[in-house]
Amino acid sequence: MLAAGADRTLPHGATALEIPAPSDRPAFVTCPSFGNVPPAATAVHLPPEMLREPRARRTRACLSFASDPEAEHHARRLAYAYITPPEAPCRADAGPFIRRAFRTLALDLPQNFELLPPARRADATVRFRTPDLREAALRRQPFVLDGVTVKLLREQAPAVRRVSSDYIIHAALRDYPVEQRTRKGIESNCFRFGFVLEIDPACFTAPDLATVRVVLELEDPREIPHEVRIDYCDGHGSANVVPVEIVRVWHRSHSYHANGQYIPLFQAA
């Protein structure tokens, strides 16, 4: 139990960070109704323009995963080999040519790399023993032998932006429809701006059916909209308008043990 007078909206020992100014937050996000259920009893009619988001937000969705050091180490050992010109006969069986190029042009580097099946539209995937050996091979380029070039590239995905979810938000979803009041429904209606870590159990039982309190992990508190508009997609503009209040903001380090385990906020109270 928390001590008398303790702040039940913030983890013990955490420092409350500044809540974004209203003008910095988007007006709303629109989410399709979870499970295609019929419109809630509290649904209202909204014209299409009130459910249509600006293009910049309509196409945005982020998934954030905890970093896996082992997976990152493995990825840093990989390089993708591209052979030019396209008509070079060795492309049909790239492995022997790549090994010959290394033995001829980089004999001082370890030759114990592995050749894996092609990926990223490359002619071969090369797995070095360590990330440092991969970087040494990249610096040695270009590998040009008998008029054929082998180009090594790191894994690159220019269209993907790495997301760092450093913030935790305690948010209150007002006037939340009873028909959407399931864990999956709440997660679905919040996924556009955050990952749901926890839901206050009190929101599932009477008499508190007006507000859903959630703990969200996300990249930027300014992504929290003023409203979530739940669209029932029934062709009549039926929707629920759920105001979103930011109760508290803090750094994620206060919500995890040293072993990476999440520390509940509501159950702890």
PDB file of all heavy atoms in Angstrom, residues 119-146:
ATOM      1  N   ALA A 119      19.722 -11.765 -49.353  1.00  0.00           N
ATOM      2  CA  ALA A 119      18.650 -10.983 -48.745  1.00  0.00           C
ATOM      3  C   ALA A 119      18.814  -9.545 -49.202  1.00  0.00           C
ATOM      4  O   ALA A 119      19.851  -9.156 -49.728  1.00  0.00           O
ATOM      5  CB  ALA A 119      18.710 -11.080 -47.220  1.00  0.00           C
ATOM      6  N   ARG A 120      17.767  -8.746 -49.005  1.00  0.00           N
ATOM      7  CA  ARG A 120      17.802  -7.330 -49.400  1.00  0.00           C
ATOM      8  C   ARG A 120      18.151  -7.172 -50.884  1.00  0.00           C
ATOM      9  O   ARG A 120      18.788  -6.221 -51.290  1.00  0.00           O
ATOM     10  CB  ARG A 120      18.814  -6.538 -48.551  1.00  0.00           C
ATOM     11  CG  ARG A 120      18.649  -6.678 -47.054  1.00  0.00           C
ATOM     12  CD  ARG A 120      17.390  -5.981 -46.584  1.00  0.00           C
ATOM     13  NE  ARG A 120      17.371  -5.924 -45.129  1.00  0.00           N
ATOM     14  CZ  ARG A 120      16.845  -6.875 -44.349  1.00  0.00           C
ATOM     15  NH1 ARG A 120      16.316  -7.954 -44.902  1.00  0.00           N
ATOM     16  NH2 ARG A 120      16.845  -6.763 -43.032  1.00  0.00           N
ATOM     17  N   ARG A 121      17.746  -8.155 -51.692  1.00  0.00           N
ATOM     18  CA  ARG A 121      18.013  -8.147 -53.143  1.00  0.00           C
ATOM     19  C   ARG A 121      19.512  -8.161 -53.453  1.00  0.00           C
ATOM     20  O   ARG A 121      19.936  -7.772 -54.540  1.00  0.00           O
ATOM     21  CB  ARG A 121      17.342  -6.957 -53.820  1.00  0.00           C
ATOM     22  CG  ARG A 121      15.817  -6.982 -53.712  1.00  0.00           C
ATOM     23  CD  ARG A 121      15.179  -5.863 -54.523  1.00  0.00           C
ATOM     24  NE  ARG A 121      13.719  -5.937 -54.454  1.00  0.00           N
ATOM     25  CZ  ARG A 121      12.909  -5.107 -55.103  1.00  0.00           C
ATOM     26  NH1 ARG A 121      13.423  -4.144 -55.863  1.00  0.00           N
ATOM     27  NH2 ARG A 121      11.611  -5.243 -55.004  1.00  0.00           N
ATOM     28  N   ALA A 122      20.298  -8.595 -52.490  1.00  0.00           N
ATOM     29  CA  ALA A 122      21.740  -8.710 -52.722  1.00  0.00           C
ATOM     30  C   ALA A 122      22.036 -10.041 -53.410  1.00  0.00           C
ATOM     31  O   ALA A 122      21.165 -10.912 -53.538  1.00  0.00           O
ATOM     32  CB  ALA A 122      22.490  -8.618 -51.395  1.00  0.00           C
ATOM     33  N   ASP A 123      23.286 -10.199 -53.856  1.00  0.00           N
ATOM     34  CA  ASP A 123      23.701 -11.459 -54.465  1.00  0.00           C
ATOM     35  C   ASP A 123      24.116 -12.476 -53.416  1.00  0.00           C
ATOM     36  O   ASP A 123      24.121 -13.685 -53.678  1.00  0.00           O
ATOM     37  CB  ASP A 123      24.853 -11.201 -55.440  1.00  0.00           C
ATOM     38  CG  ASP A 123      24.399 -10.365 -56.629  1.00  0.00           C
ATOM     39  OD1 ASP A 123      23.622 -10.882 -57.448  1.00  0.00           O
ATOM     40  OD2 ASP A 123      24.799  -9.182 -56.710  1.00  0.00           O
ATOM     41  N   ALA A 124      24.469 -12.020 -52.228  1.00  0.00           N
ATOM     42  CA  ALA A 124      24.820 -12.912 -51.123  1.00  0.00           C
ATOM     43  C   ALA A 124      24.802 -12.110 -49.833  1.00  0.00           C
ATOM     44  O   ALA A 124      24.948 -10.883 -49.838  1.00  0.00           O
ATOM     45  CB  ALA A 124      26.191 -13.547 -51.339  1.00  0.00           C
ATOM     46  N   THR A 125      24.623 -12.832 -48.727  1.00  0.00           N
ATOM     47  CA  THR A 125      24.730 -12.232 -47.400  1.00  0.00           C
ATOM     48  C   THR A 125      26.002 -12.762 -46.753  1.00  0.00           C
ATOM     49  O   THR A 125      26.225 -13.980 -46.723  1.00  0.00           O
ATOM     50  CB  THR A 125      23.517 -12.590 -46.534  1.00  0.00           C
ATOM     51  OG1 THR A 125      22.324 -12.161 -47.189  1.00  0.00           O
ATOM     52  CG2 THR A 125      23.610 -11.920 -45.172  1.00  0.00           C
ATOM     53  N   VAL A 126      26.818 -11.855 -46.251  1.00  0.00           N
ATOM     54  CA  VAL A 126      28.092 -12.237 -45.652  1.00  0.00           C
ATOM     55  C   VAL A 126      27.996 -12.008 -44.142  1.00  0.00           C
ATOM     56  O   VAL A 126      27.671 -10.904 -43.691  1.00  0.00           O
ATOM     57  CB  VAL A 126      29.256 -11.419 -46.234  1.00  0.00           C
ATOM     58  CG1 VAL A 126      30.590 -11.898 -45.652  1.00  0.00           C
ATOM     59  CG2 VAL A 126      29.263 -11.496 -47.756  1.00  0.00           C
ATOM     60  N   ARG A 127      28.274 -13.063 -43.365  1.00  0.00           N
ATOM     61  CA  ARG A 127      28.254 -12.934 -41.911  1.00  0.00           C
ATOM     62  C   ARG A 127      29.683 -13.058 -41.387  1.00  0.00           C
ATOM     63  O   ARG A 127      30.302 -14.120 -41.477  1.00  0.00           O
ATOM     64  CB  ARG A 127      27.371 -13.994 -41.266  1.00  0.00           C
ATOM     65  CG  ARG A 127      27.308 -13.859 -39.735  1.00  0.00           C
ATOM     66  CD  ARG A 127      26.151 -14.630 -39.141  1.00  0.00           C
ATOM     67  NE  ARG A 127      26.269 -16.060 -39.376  1.00  0.00           N
ATOM     68  CZ  ARG A 127      25.282 -16.929 -39.139  1.00  0.00           C
ATOM     69  NH1 ARG A 127      24.119 -16.492 -38.683  1.00  0.00           N
ATOM     70  NH2 ARG A 127      25.471 -18.224 -39.367  1.00  0.00           N
ATOM     71  N   PHE A 128      30.179 -11.950 -40.839  1.00  0.00           N
ATOM     72  CA  PHE A 128      31.534 -11.925 -40.289  1.00  0.00           C
ATOM     73  C   PHE A 128      31.504 -12.408 -38.841  1.00  0.00           C
ATOM     74  O   PHE A 128      30.467 -12.421 -38.177  1.00  0.00           O
ATOM     75  CB  PHE A 128      32.107 -10.515 -40.387  1.00  0.00           C
ATOM     76  CG  PHE A 128      32.325 -10.059 -41.807  1.00  0.00           C
ATOM     77  CD1 PHE A 128      31.319  -9.395 -42.500  1.00  0.00           C
ATOM     78  CD2 PHE A 128      33.523 -10.309 -42.456  1.00  0.00           C
ATOM     79  CE1 PHE A 128      31.517  -8.975 -43.809  1.00  0.00           C
ATOM     80  CE2 PHE A 128      33.729  -9.901 -43.765  1.00  0.00           C
ATOM     81  CZ  PHE A 128      32.722  -9.236 -44.443  1.00  0.00           C
ATOM     82  N   ARG A 129      32.674 -12.772 -38.327  1.00  0.00           N
ATOM     83  CA  ARG A 129      32.743 -13.293 -36.959  1.00  0.00           C
ATOM     84  C   ARG A 129      32.446 -12.235 -35.913  1.00  0.00           C
ATOM     85  O   ARG A 129      31.903 -12.525 -34.849  1.00  0.00           O
ATOM     86  CB  ARG A 129      34.130 -13.903 -36.706  1.00  0.00           C
ATOM     87  CG  ARG A 129      34.403 -15.153 -37.505  1.00  0.00           C
ATOM     88  CD  ARG A 129      33.446 -16.267 -37.151  1.00  0.00           C
ATOM     89  NE  ARG A 129      33.707 -17.480 -37.903  1.00  0.00           N
ATOM     90  CZ  ARG A 129      32.952 -18.572 -37.841  1.00  0.00           C
ATOM     91  NH1 ARG A 129      31.888 -18.590 -37.072  1.00  0.00           N
ATOM     92  NH2 ARG A 129      33.253 -19.629 -38.563  1.00  0.00           N
ATOM     93  N   THR A 130      32.800 -10.987 -36.186  1.00  0.00           N
ATOM     94  CA  THR A 130      32.552  -9.893 -35.243  1.00  0.00           C
ATOM     95  C   THR A 130      32.141  -8.652 -36.018  1.00  0.00           C
ATOM     96  O   THR A 130      32.440  -8.517 -37.221  1.00  0.00           O
ATOM     97  CB  THR A 130      33.814  -9.555 -34.421  1.00  0.00           C
ATOM     98  OG1 THR A 130      34.796  -8.988 -35.297  1.00  0.00           O
ATOM     99  CG2 THR A 130      34.372 -10.792 -33.734  1.00  0.00           C
ATOM    100  N   PRO A 131      31.483  -7.695 -35.377  1.00  0.00           N
ATOM    101  CA  PRO A 131      31.162  -6.424 -36.033  1.00  0.00           C
ATOM    102  C   PRO A 131      32.410  -5.683 -36.506  1.00  0.00           C
ATOM    103  O   PRO A 131      32.387  -5.032 -37.560  1.00  0.00           O
ATOM    104  CB  PRO A 131      30.408  -5.643 -34.959  1.00  0.00           C
ATOM    105  CG  PRO A 131      29.813  -6.688 -34.072  1.00  0.00           C
ATOM    106  CD  PRO A 131      30.837  -7.788 -34.047  1.00  0.00           C
ATOM    107  N   ASP A 132      33.500  -5.763 -35.741  1.00  0.00           N
ATOM    108  CA  ASP A 132      34.732  -5.064 -36.131  1.00  0.00           C
ATOM    109  C   ASP A 132      35.294  -5.612 -37.445  1.00  0.00           C
ATOM    110  O   ASP A 132      35.825  -4.850 -38.268  1.00  0.00           O
ATOM    111  CB  ASP A 132      35.779  -5.177 -35.027  1.00  0.00           C
ATOM    112  CG  ASP A 132      35.426  -4.342 -33.809  1.00  0.00           C
ATOM    113  OD1 ASP A 132      34.605  -3.408 -33.953  1.00  0.00           O
ATOM    114  OD2 ASP A 132      35.962  -4.618 -32.725  1.00  0.00           O
ATOM    115  N   LEU A 133      35.197  -6.926 -37.646  1.00  0.00           N
ATOM    116  CA  LEU A 133      35.683  -7.503 -38.897  1.00  0.00           C
ATOM    117  C   LEU A 133      34.819  -7.053 -40.074  1.00  0.00           C
ATOM    118  O   LEU A 133      35.325  -6.832 -41.172  1.00  0.00           O
ATOM    119  CB  LEU A 133      35.700  -9.032 -38.798  1.00  0.00           C
ATOM    120  CG  LEU A 133      36.755  -9.623 -37.864  1.00  0.00           C
ATOM    121  CD1 LEU A 133      36.611 -11.140 -37.792  1.00  0.00           C
ATOM    122  CD2 LEU A 133      38.162  -9.244 -38.341  1.00  0.00           C
ATOM    123  N   ARG A 134      33.521  -6.911 -39.839  1.00  0.00           N
ATOM    124  CA  ARG A 134      32.682  -6.380 -40.916  1.00  0.00           C
ATOM    125  C   ARG A 134      33.100  -4.966 -41.286  1.00  0.00           C
ATOM    126  O   ARG A 134      33.220  -4.625 -42.467  1.00  0.00           O
ATOM    127  CB  ARG A 134      31.201  -6.380 -40.504  1.00  0.00           C
ATOM    128  CG  ARG A 134      30.287  -5.896 -41.633  1.00  0.00           C
ATOM    129  CD  ARG A 134      28.877  -5.612 -41.171  1.00  0.00           C
ATOM    130  NE  ARG A 134      28.787  -4.430 -40.321  1.00  0.00           N
ATOM    131  CZ  ARG A 134      27.631  -3.885 -39.949  1.00  0.00           C
ATOM    132  NH1 ARG A 134      26.486  -4.441 -40.315  1.00  0.00           N
ATOM    133  NH2 ARG A 134      27.610  -2.817 -39.177  1.00  0.00           N
ATOM    134  N   GLU A 135      33.338  -4.129 -40.266  1.00  0.00           N
ATOM    135  CA  GLU A 135      33.733  -2.753 -40.545  1.00  0.00           C
ATOM    136  C   GLU A 135      35.081  -2.699 -41.255  1.00  0.00           C
ATOM    137  O   GLU A 135      35.293  -1.855 -42.140  1.00  0.00           O
ATOM    138  CB  GLU A 135      33.773  -1.957 -39.245  1.00  0.00           C
ATOM    139  CG  GLU A 135      32.427  -1.811 -38.557  1.00  0.00           C
ATOM    140  CD  GLU A 135      31.384  -1.191 -39.472  1.00  0.00           C
ATOM    141  OE1 GLU A 135      31.671  -0.128 -40.063  1.00  0.00           O
ATOM    142  OE2 GLU A 135      30.296  -1.769 -39.609  1.00  0.00           O
ATOM    143  N   ALA A 136      35.996  -3.596 -40.892  1.00  0.00           N
ATOM    144  CA  ALA A 136      37.300  -3.633 -41.565  1.00  0.00           C
ATOM    145  C   ALA A 136      37.135  -3.992 -43.036  1.00  0.00           C
ATOM    146  O   ALA A 136      37.803  -3.418 -43.906  1.00  0.00           O
ATOM    147  CB  ALA A 136      38.215  -4.639 -40.875  1.00  0.00           C
ATOM    148  N   ALA A 137      36.233  -4.921 -43.336  1.00  0.00           N
ATOM    149  CA  ALA A 137      35.987  -5.294 -44.733  1.00  0.00           C
ATOM    150  C   ALA A 137      35.341  -4.148 -45.499  1.00  0.00           C
ATOM    151  O   ALA A 137      35.678  -3.892 -46.662  1.00  0.00           O
ATOM    152  CB  ALA A 137      35.108  -6.542 -44.782  1.00  0.00           C
ATOM    153  N   LEU A 138      34.428  -3.429 -44.853  1.00  0.00           N
ATOM    154  CA  LEU A 138      33.776  -2.299 -45.517  1.00  0.00           C
ATOM    155  C   LEU A 138      34.788  -1.205 -45.860  1.00  0.00           C
ATOM    156  O   LEU A 138      34.711  -0.573 -46.923  1.00  0.00           O
ATOM    157  CB  LEU A 138      32.668  -1.741 -44.629  1.00  0.00           C
ATOM    158  CG  LEU A 138      31.423  -2.628 -44.435  1.00  0.00           C
ATOM    159  CD1 LEU A 138      30.543  -2.076 -43.339  1.00  0.00           C
ATOM    160  CD2 LEU A 138      30.641  -2.728 -45.733  1.00  0.00           C
ATOM    161  N   ARG A 139      35.757  -0.982 -44.954  1.00  0.00           N
ATOM    162  CA  ARG A 139      36.759   0.058 -45.202  1.00  0.00           C
ATOM    163  C   ARG A 139      37.713  -0.341 -46.332  1.00  0.00           C
ATOM    164  O   ARG A 139      38.306   0.527 -46.963  1.00  0.00           O
ATOM    165  CB  ARG A 139      37.548   0.337 -43.920  1.00  0.00           C
ATOM    166  CG  ARG A 139      36.752   1.036 -42.831  1.00  0.00           C
ATOM    167  CD  ARG A 139      37.664   1.552 -41.729  1.00  0.00           C
ATOM    168  NE  ARG A 139      38.343   0.466 -41.039  1.00  0.00           N
ATOM    169  CZ  ARG A 139      37.887  -0.128 -39.955  1.00  0.00           C
ATOM    170  NH1 ARG A 139      36.732   0.254 -39.427  1.00  0.00           N
ATOM    171  NH2 ARG A 139      38.581  -1.096 -39.365  1.00  0.00           N
ATOM    172  N   ARG A 140      37.875  -1.651 -46.575  1.00  0.00           N
ATOM    173  CA  ARG A 140      38.805  -2.121 -47.596  1.00  0.00           C
ATOM    174  C   ARG A 140      38.248  -1.954 -49.017  1.00  0.00           C
ATOM    175  O   ARG A 140      38.990  -2.041 -49.987  1.00  0.00           O
ATOM    176  CB  ARG A 140      39.132  -3.596 -47.332  1.00  0.00           C
ATOM    177  CG  ARG A 140      40.194  -4.190 -48.222  1.00  0.00           C
ATOM    178  CD  ARG A 140      41.520  -3.464 -48.048  1.00  0.00           C
ATOM    179  NE  ARG A 140      41.962  -3.537 -46.667  1.00  0.00           N
ATOM    180  CZ  ARG A 140      42.668  -4.553 -46.163  1.00  0.00           C
ATOM    181  NH1 ARG A 140      42.999  -5.571 -46.931  1.00  0.00           N
ATOM    182  NH2 ARG A 140      43.052  -4.530 -44.905  1.00  0.00           N
ATOM    183  N   GLN A 141      37.000  -1.704 -49.151  1.00  0.00           N
ATOM    184  CA  GLN A 141      36.370  -1.605 -50.478  1.00  0.00           C
ATOM    185  C   GLN A 141      36.985  -0.475 -51.305  1.00  0.00           C
ATOM    186  O   GLN A 141      37.545   0.471 -50.735  1.00  0.00           O
ATOM    187  CB  GLN A 141      34.860  -1.385 -50.309  1.00  0.00           C
ATOM    188  CG  GLN A 141      34.167  -2.534 -49.586  1.00  0.00           C
ATOM    189  CD  GLN A 141      32.673  -2.378 -49.562  1.00  0.00           C
ATOM    190  OE1 GLN A 141      31.985  -3.048 -50.306  1.00  0.00           O
ATOM    191  NE2 GLN A 141      32.162  -1.494 -48.728  1.00  0.00           N
ATOM    192  N   PRO A 142      36.781  -0.580 -52.662  1.00  0.00           N
ATOM    193  CA  PRO A 142      36.002  -1.590 -53.393  1.00  0.00           C
ATOM    194  C   PRO A 142      36.817  -2.842 -53.708  1.00  0.00           C
ATOM    195  O   PRO A 142      38.047  -2.782 -53.793  1.00  0.00           O
ATOM    196  CB  PRO A 142      35.618  -0.855 -54.669  1.00  0.00           C
ATOM    197  CG  PRO A 142      36.772   0.072 -54.903  1.00  0.00           C
ATOM    198  CD  PRO A 142      37.233   0.498 -53.526  1.00  0.00           C
ATOM    199  N   PHE A 143      36.124  -3.967 -53.875  1.00  0.00           N
ATOM    200  CA  PHE A 143      36.745  -5.215 -54.294  1.00  0.00           C
ATOM    201  C   PHE A 143      36.496  -5.378 -55.789  1.00  0.00           C
ATOM    202  O   PHE A 143      35.375  -5.691 -56.209  1.00  0.00           O
ATOM    203  CB  PHE A 143      36.152  -6.405 -53.526  1.00  0.00           C
ATOM    204  CG  PHE A 143      36.380  -6.341 -52.039  1.00  0.00           C
ATOM    205  CD1 PHE A 143      35.365  -5.959 -51.170  1.00  0.00           C
ATOM    206  CD2 PHE A 143      37.614  -6.668 -51.512  1.00  0.00           C
ATOM    207  CE1 PHE A 143      35.585  -5.910 -49.808  1.00  0.00           C
ATOM    208  CE2 PHE A 143      37.842  -6.621 -50.136  1.00  0.00           C
ATOM    209  CZ  PHE A 143      36.828  -6.228 -49.286  1.00  0.00           C
ATOM    210  N   VAL A 144      37.514  -5.141 -56.584  1.00  0.00           N
ATOM    211  CA  VAL A 144      37.390  -5.229 -58.046  1.00  0.00           C
ATOM    212  C   VAL A 144      38.353  -6.306 -58.540  1.00  0.00           C
ATOM    213  O   VAL A 144      39.575  -6.208 -58.341  1.00  0.00           O
ATOM    214  CB  VAL A 144      37.698  -3.884 -58.737  1.00  0.00           C
ATOM    215  CG1 VAL A 144      37.502  -4.008 -60.239  1.00  0.00           C
ATOM    216  CG2 VAL A 144      36.810  -2.776 -58.153  1.00  0.00           C
ATOM    217  N   LEU A 145      37.805  -7.322 -59.176  1.00  0.00           N
ATOM    218  CA  LEU A 145      38.615  -8.452 -59.641  1.00  0.00           C
ATOM    219  C   LEU A 145      38.091  -8.911 -61.002  1.00  0.00           C
ATOM    220  O   LEU A 145      36.891  -9.161 -61.149  1.00  0.00           O
ATOM    221  CB  LEU A 145      38.544  -9.617 -58.632  1.00  0.00           C
ATOM    222  CG  LEU A 145      39.396 -10.840 -58.931  1.00  0.00           C
ATOM    223  CD1 LEU A 145      40.882 -10.485 -58.865  1.00  0.00           C
ATOM    224  CD2 LEU A 145      39.074 -11.946 -57.923  1.00  0.00           C
ATOM    225  N   ASP A 146      38.991  -8.967 -61.991  1.00  0.00           N
ATOM    226  CA  ASP A 146      38.625  -9.407 -63.342  1.00  0.00           C
ATOM    227  C   ASP A 146      37.474  -8.583 -63.925  1.00  0.00           C
ATOM    228  O   ASP A 146      36.594  -9.114 -64.614  1.00  0.00           O
ATOM    229  CB  ASP A 146      38.242 -10.891 -63.353  1.00  0.00           C
ATOM    230  CG  ASP A 146      39.381 -11.788 -62.891  1.00  0.00           C
ATOM    231  OD1 ASP A 146      40.553 -11.366 -63.014  1.00  0.00           O
ATOM    232  OD2 ASP A 146      39.092 -12.892 -62.405  1.00  0.00           O
TER     233      ASP A 146
END
